[in-house]
Amino acid sequence: MANVKSAMLPDFEVKFLLDETQVLDAASSKPAESLRAAFKLPEKPIRMDVQFLDTTSREIYNAGWSPRIRKVEGESGYELTYKKRYPIVDGQADGAIDASDLLTALSVARDEGFDVTETKYDAQVEWGFQKQTLSISRKKKVKKDSVGKKEMGLPDENESRKLLVEEIPGKFDDWLFEKWGRSLLSQAVIYGPVSAERYEGTWEGVEVDVEIWPLRVEGSDTDTETIVEISFKSDNGNQAGTTQKVLGDYLAERGWLVPRDSLKTQLIMDKYGPQELDGGEGVTGDYADMA
């Protein structure tokens, strides 16, 4: 990655999906003691509320973008994120990243305006069990007097549209044509909200996050399935690859690893969209399998 000078230089976030039946306490749905001990997890998590906005036909998502509103416990106001994703060719059997595939994704992003001079966007390789995605994000903080560090919850549909349009970055707004972004957001609906918990721990000197996401079971308003994910970040691709291999083996040896990718965003889009889409064809196109 040291030779990439014509595109944004990303950091890396490695993610593994965990078997909820093995790592969560069955009675409380909190981390089991074995998981707490292995990753030095605290007793109290950080709560998060998340929702996405898109049209009923998911035009924004199918164009590779995801506008998100998040409220994090301990932070005032809302965090708005406008994320653009570029697929990287499926990883190798061992989950490694092919440098040429990453360079191709970076080149496509550069050609669409995200280059090394860009300072307002963050580039990251989202590194799953086998799939990798280049994501480029613009984050904005919105302060609200009524939304302090302890208050949770998210704005309603009209307020959400207003916030995302007021803070809309130019690249997203004019993506396919002038005012493309705000024209779609003006008719967007909420996909969500979803409440999750994050536990911040360490493993072998590496900072890790364990997140627990109870998601609605399709066709039910009360039943949930739980997604449990562990992740870590690194600025160095070689270091991330080494730790990815060691941590993956560690999880597999303990029977905690689910050997597939975690696609939370896709699941939320599928399970929390407008009622008329339930049981339909879902998301289509090049971005349908992204997290």
Side-chain angles (χ1 to χ4, degrees):
M1 291 306 304
N3 294 325
V4 179
K5 297 182 180 180
S6 59
M8 301 178 71
L9 189 64
D11 65 6
F12 299 81
E13 183 176 25
V14 177
K15 303 177 181 181
F16 288 109
L17 189 63
L18 304 182
D19 185 344
E20 64 165 309
T21 65
Q22 300 298 315
V23 301
L24 297 186
D25 179 84
S28 66
S29 294
K30 303 292 184 181
E33 285 304 317
S34 56
L35 189 70
R36 289 186 185 276
F39 296 104
K40 300 179 176 61
L41 303 181
E43 288 293 326
K44 181 176 173 55
I46 298 170
R47 296 180 295 163
M48 302 179 292
D49 291 332
V50 177
Q51 64 190 23
F52 297 87
L53 264 74
D54 205 337
T55 64
T56 55
S57 57
R58 311 184 198 188
E59 294 167 81
I60 300 174
Y61 188 73
N62 282 331
W65 284 93
S66 295
R68 181 187 73 187
I69 302 178
R70 183 169 71 169
K71 175 66 177 73
V72 179
E73 185 178 21
E75 298 180 9
S76 300
Y78 303 117
E79 178 189 86
L80 310 184
T81 302
Y82 306 80
K83 180 180 288 189
K84 178 70 175 76
R85 289 185 169 94
Y86 293 90
I88 301 173
V89 175
D90 286 1
Q92 302 173 52
D94 60 358
I97 293 178
D98 187 296
S100 64
D101 292 335
L102 177 53
L103 285 171
T104 298
L106 286 166
S107 296
V108 173
R110 176 202 61 203
D111 292 343
E112 293 188 343
F114 298 106
D115 59 31
V116 74
T117 64
E118 189 62 71
T119 58
K120 296 179 180 179
Y121 288 78
D122 297 317
Q124 183 175 83
V125 173
E126 298 175 354
W127 188 338
F129 182 73
Q130 281 192 298
K131 292 181 180 295
Q132 294 90 31
T133 302
L134 172 66
S135 69
I136 299 180
S137 303
R138 178 76 182 274
K139 294 184 179 181
K140 297 192 176 186
K141 294 284 190 178
V142 176
K143 299 295 185 181
K144 292 286 182 180
D145 292 339
S146 59
V147 184
K149 294 183 177 181
K150 295 182 179 180
E151 287 80 10
M152 298 300 293
L154 294 166
D156 63 18
E157 196 164 88
N158 287 333
E159 180 66 13
S160 296
R161 291 171 176 166
K162 179 181 177 182
L163 289 175
L164 286 167
V165 168
E166 286 178 345
E167 299 293 334
I168 194 167
K171 280 188 173 62
F172 173 65
D173 195 14
D174 298 331
W175 187 247
L176 295 182
F177 51 81
E178 188 176 358
K179 309 304 181 187
W180 173 83
R182 70 184 63 213
S183 69
L184 294 179
L185 285 174
S186 68
Q187 53 186 304
V189 298
I190 289 175
Y191 290 75
V194 177
S195 297
E197 295 181 340
R198 182 176 70 221
Y199 295 80
E200 299 178 347
T202 59
W203 178 79
E204 301 292 333
V206 177
E207 294 182 357
V208 298
D209 288 336
V210 172
E211 295 185 356
I212 301 174
W213 292 75
L215 299 181
R216 176 191 300 165
V217 172
E218 194 167 346
S220 172
D221 291 331
T222 56
D223 296 333
T224 60
E225 61 174 331
T226 303
I227 303 298
V228 185
E229 180 183 87
I230 187 169
S231 64
F232 69 88
K233 296 179 181 179
S234 175
D235 292 329
N236 184 288
N238 292 329
Q239 184 179 42
T242 299
T243 306
Q244 190 259 3
K245 177 66 167 60
V246 176
L247 177 58
D249 289 345
Y250 178 86
L251 296 171
E253 289 170 1
R254 282 152 183 78
W256 295 348
L257 178 67
V258 177
R260 59 180 174 84
D261 290 294
S262 174
L263 307 175
K264 296 193 302 297
T265 303
Q266 181 187 338
L267 288 172
I268 293 171
M269 296 295 290
D270 288 344
K271 295 173 180 293
Y272 290 84
Q275 290 297 312
E276 59 265 27
L277 289 183
D278 289 351
E281 295 180 356
V283 179
T284 60
D286 292 339
Y287 302 93
D289 61 351
M290 290 186 185

